[in-house]
Amino acid sequence: MYQPFPPDRSQYPAKKADGTLDIDLTSGKYLKLWQGPNHPGITGNMSVELTVCGDEVVEGKTHVGYLHRGFEKLMERRTFIQCFPIVCRICVPEPDFNEYCYAAAVEELAGIQAPERAHWIRTLILEMGRINSYMMYLGGQAGSLGQGVIGQWTTYVRDLMLDRFEELTGARIYHMFILPGGVRDGLPDGFAGRMEETLREIESILKDVYDVMFCNAVFKARTVGMGVIDPAWLDEYGVTGPNARAAGVAKDMRKDHPYLVYPELAFEPVTGKDSDIYTRADVRRRDVLVSVDLIRQIMAKMPMDGPLMCAVPNVLHWKIPRGETYIRGECSRGEYGYYLVTDGSGYPRRVNVRGPSYTHAMALLERMIVNISISDVAALMVSLHTYPPEIER
Amino acid sequence: MTMRELYDRTKALFPLGELIEQRSGGNNDLVFVTVPAAHLRATILHLRDKEGFSHLVLLTAVDWLEEGQFQLTYLLNNRQQAYDLGLRVMISRDSATMESIHDVWPTAATYQRELREMFGIDFPGSPRIEEEFILEGWNDIPPYRRDFDTLKYAQEKFSERPGRKTHDPETHMRQQLYPDMSPTGK
């Protein structure tokens, strides 16, 4: 078990009667250190205010708000179809979950049903996005420990997948493809063959990543036994996704609350045992292989003809009766959900986005960051796989 | 166990409102129930400890300005049964205060901090509730309230970029497409 500091906790600040830490900054024993908002060891536009004693972090507070664009408020002033090109911007590396959850919530409240073929294409897109997001993570996790080359390899295969996105949707990052009522288009000619080539390249690169990153002695020394999430914390802190699966709990919304065509696909949630940084990285690496397999199944089983959109009312005058619903999906970070409230008008009354990073990067990170070394903060933060835009929406 | 049975059992203990089944078709896994604010903590503890609703999915507010009320939604999830239960608490907009549940789920403290900042709903006793969450130096009414006018705020706070023109879409497009036609379309 990796122990950054000896078990003697005498340096650790005592607690005051009200439960807050007794940190006297004027004593000269402690130092405030900001990691972020502009720092190579931070995940996106956020910052962590660290209080350190020597090398040891005694308190960490997450600060967000550098990327607040007020999406939820913006959407209250826009018609249902005008919200559709906005939602994808809430999460940059994996925008499709926003589109799917928003579209499904609108469909449910409006009482329309997307056609079967659209469900298959939606599932395909969500799995492609998942691979992209994991590839970004693997590069970041290796980079946080000084292995730059892994990021270059994973960016290469991510780029191949972006090419597939481009030919399917016309865009590389924000696809705006899954709209209420269905999807915009079917697969282009020869897509299956090019997708298969991409999948083979991903598998081949992942083998290299395994050899160079996961078998690397330094990577193991820095990550095994480091940043453990106690399974008892999962409910307390709302931990979902690979962070929960690495702790041995097979929480996967694709199985727990099946949506789209997942009931027709064969797969098992990937779980780990040790719940440390290494296990979380390994769970995500194996999850990529599951996604690769799912894409192959989808390509083989998908109906090649049929409608892509159902009949939708005139979107300029689309009024949806009063109601509320919650739609969720399993994104690469955990449970992604949209809570949509309508009031009978042509505008949403309230849209609330439940991003998994909201709990992971705030309450959970602040708890886990205590008593680790400054040099491990970046690795720990990346291992929770958080994207700040979905915290502040 | 169906949600209806669970509701009947819980209603015997707490004064719950009407059961609203969101997906009344085949897959009836999401329901909403209104709970009086005073009974929320007891209901949540009962559901968490006795009925397996151990996961707080989200906590958010809806502003019903016309009715003078905030709706707080506590969405709970029972993973074993794959059920979601949304507890709705209606509180007055004028004295928007609610009991904190940060001791039931530590992660609720983050949601409560956001609600205080964005909706002005106070949760006394919640950790770091006074600290700014997203906004910095905000001195207007909480921005996610319905009576906060975003356009008016932007016009007062920010100056227009010089040289920028705003067109009426209809006349502008008509002039672009049919330059010979008069602006009124005749």
Side-chain angles (χ1 to χ4, degrees):
Chain A
M1 178 93 174
Y2 172 68
Q3 284 196 324
F5 297 101
D8 174 22
R9 311 300 317 136
S10 57
Q11 280 195 74
Y12 188 81
K15 280 190 177 166
K16 288 189 216 159
D18 63 351
T20 54
L21 295 177
D22 188 10
I23 294 174
D24 180 13
L25 286 173
T26 56
S27 69
K29 205 171 154 191
Y30 303 103
L31 180 75
K32 283 269 182 205
L33 185 71
W34 281 76
Q35 182 141 327
N38 201 343
H39 189 282
I42 197 94
T43 53
N45 312 46
M46 59 182 249
S47 62
V48 183
E49 178 191 355
L50 303 171
T51 309
V52 294
C53 177
D55 270 358
E56 182 184 6
V57 176
V58 293
E59 192 184 23
K61 286 182 182 175
T62 310
H63 289 266
V64 294
Y66 304 99
L67 204 58
H68 177 65
R69 288 158 288 175
F71 285 114
E72 293 178 357
K73 182 80 177 176
L74 279 175
M75 283 194 257
E76 290 175 19
R77 296 284 181 276
R78 277 160 176 74
T79 59
F80 290 100
I81 201 70
Q82 283 177 326
C83 293
F84 150 69
I86 295 182
V87 289
C88 53
R89 277 142 176 101
I90 295 175
C91 177
V92 188
E94 199 183 11
D96 311 287
F97 272 91
N98 294 289
E99 297 178 12
Y100 160 66
C101 292
Y102 175 72
V106 169
E107 283 161 12
E108 183 176 314
L109 290 176
I112 58 175
Q113 184 111 38
E116 171 78 10
R117 190 172 163 214
H119 283 317
W120 284 93
I121 296 181
R122 285 178 178 190
T123 317
L124 171 70
I125 286 184
L126 295 184
E127 289 303 325
M128 287 164 68
R130 189 188 315 278
I131 291 181
N132 273 353
S133 176
Y134 278 143
M135 285 302 164
M136 216 163 175
Y137 159 80
L138 284 172
Q141 185 70 75
S144 71
L145 295 164
Q147 283 186 311
V149 71
I150 304 291
Q152 296 176 15
W153 293 347
T154 56
T155 305
Y156 158 64
V157 283
R158 182 172 175 270
D159 210 60
L160 295 181
M161 195 52 101
L162 291 182
D163 290 344
R164 300 291 81 76
F165 264 120
E166 191 173 3
E167 62 174 305
L168 178 58
T169 69
R172 292 173 78 79
I173 303 295
Y174 296 132
H175 312 121
M176 290 176 263
F177 196 71
I178 303 175
L179 73 170
V183 294
R184 276 203 282 119
D185 210 347
L187 304 188
D189 290 341
F191 182 79
R194 291 188 293 279
M195 179 55 103
E196 182 56 34
E197 278 172 33
T198 305
L199 296 180
R200 286 202 188 130
E201 194 68 23
I202 288 172
E203 287 174 323
S204 137
I205 289 285
L206 270 187
K207 276 202 191 84
D208 293 348
V209 168
Y210 181 78
D211 291 341
V212 175
M213 179 176 166
F214 288 84
C215 298
N216 183 305
V218 176
F219 184 73
K220 280 186 178 171
R222 300 268 319 256
T223 56
V224 173
M226 176 74 209
V228 173
I229 298 178
D230 187 332
W233 296 354
L234 299 190
D235 284 334
E236 288 179 22
Y237 290 97
V239 182
T240 52
N243 290 341
R245 294 206 290 277
V249 180
K251 251 190 182 184
D252 190 327
M253 301 306 151
R254 292 174 289 181
K255 281 279 179 204
D256 296 348
H257 299 268
Y259 54 99
L260 293 175
V261 298
Y262 285 110
E264 297 175 43
L265 303 173
F267 71 103
E268 281 304 318
V270 177
T271 56
K273 280 185 188 153
D274 295 342
S275 196
D276 52 10
I277 297 180
Y278 187 88
T279 313
R280 288 199 283 277
D282 194 45
V283 162
R284 292 184 178 111
R285 179 188 64 83
R286 289 187 285 144
D287 224 14
V288 176
L289 296 173
V290 171
S291 288
V292 167
D293 182 49
L294 284 175
I295 291 179
R296 288 205 175 108
Q297 291 184 41
I298 294 166
M299 297 306 291
K301 290 185 179 175
M302 182 186 232
M304 281 306 164
D305 49 1
L308 291 162
M309 280 287 292
C310 67
V312 172
N314 182 345
V315 291
L316 301 177
H317 308 282
W318 195 0
K319 291 192 172 145
I320 296 184
R322 185 165 175 161
E324 57 189 311
T325 190
Y326 177 73
I327 298 285
R328 59 156 66 85
E330 175 79 16
C331 75
S332 62
R333 280 119 31 240
E335 175 180 350
Y336 209 97
Y338 264 60
Y339 172 63
L340 177 67
V341 182
T342 50
D343 56 4
S345 71
Y347 304 88
R349 167 63 66 155
R350 173 98 174 105
V351 186
N352 183 247
V353 185
R354 193 246 187 239
S357 307
Y358 193 87
T359 51
H360 295 166
M362 302 289 301
L364 181 67
L365 179 67
E366 286 174 5
R367 163 128 194 200
M368 293 178 70
I369 212 165
V370 175
N371 294 133
I372 67 168
S373 163
I374 300 173
S375 57
D376 292 329
V377 171
L380 173 71
M381 233 167 14
V382 175
S383 82
L384 296 176
H385 200 188
T386 57
Y387 291 147
E390 62 192 35
I391 303 174
E392 47 206 51
R393 285 109 56 209
Chain B
M1 182 184 78
T2 65
M3 287 305 268
R4 176 65 66 177
E5 287 166 17
L6 169 82
Y7 172 73
D8 291 338
R9 260 205 318 273
T10 317
K11 193 168 170 27
L13 300 169
F14 305 102
L16 302 181
E18 192 191 340
L19 180 77
I20 301 164
E21 293 175 331
Q22 172 54 32
R23 295 171 192 143
S24 45
N27 194 12
N28 185 14
D29 56 356
L30 173 66
V31 298
F32 290 94
V33 176
T34 310
V35 185
H39 291 87
L40 176 82
R41 165 177 287 271
T43 314
I44 275 186
L45 283 171
H46 173 77
L47 289 169
R48 187 191 71 167
D49 297 336
K50 306 279 186 206
E51 302 286 0
F53 285 87
S54 56
H55 174 46
L56 175 72
V57 179
L58 59 83
L59 161 56
T60 191
V62 186
D63 186 358
W64 297 102
L65 176 65
E66 303 81 353
E67 295 157 26
Q69 286 188 314
F70 280 127
Q71 169 192 333
L72 286 170
T73 305
Y74 298 77
L75 193 66
L76 316 182
N77 173 253
N78 179 338
R79 184 168 164 259
Q80 259 66 42
Q81 307 274 353
Y83 285 144
D84 288 299
L85 173 60
L87 293 179
R88 310 197 305 184
V89 179
M90 307 305 281
I91 57 173
S92 160
R93 276 184 107 250
D94 304 325
S95 54
T97 307
M98 185 62 204
E99 195 180 353
S100 168
I101 57 156
H102 68 272
D103 51 335
V104 185
W105 283 290
T107 190
T110 317
Y111 290 100
Q112 291 172 169
R113 252 176 90 195
E114 185 184 3
L115 287 178
R116 179 180 152 113
E117 185 171 270
M118 290 301 186
F119 285 92
I121 302 171
D122 198 10
F123 294 86
S126 185
R128 297 166 60 195
I129 188 86
E130 302 284 337
E131 283 180 35
E132 286 167 334
F133 181 59
I134 288 170
L135 309 173
E136 215 168 65
W138 187 260
N139 53 10
D140 213 310
I141 62 167
Y144 276 21
R145 289 194 175 204
R146 296 283 288 191
D147 45 0
F148 174 74
D149 188 341
T150 42
L151 181 64
K152 184 164 154 271
Y153 178 83
Q155 283 168 341
E156 284 171 3
K157 288 272 174 191
F158 309 110
S159 51
E160 289 264 317
R161 198 173 67 217
R164 182 178 168 166
K165 274 190 206 161
T166 305
H167 298 283
D168 172 48
E170 196 181 338
T171 38
H172 179 71
M173 282 315 289
R174 191 175 289 135
Q175 268 173 353
Q176 291 283 311
L177 295 171
Y178 312 106
D180 301 336
M181 207 182 267
S182 77
T184 52
K186 300 223 172 97

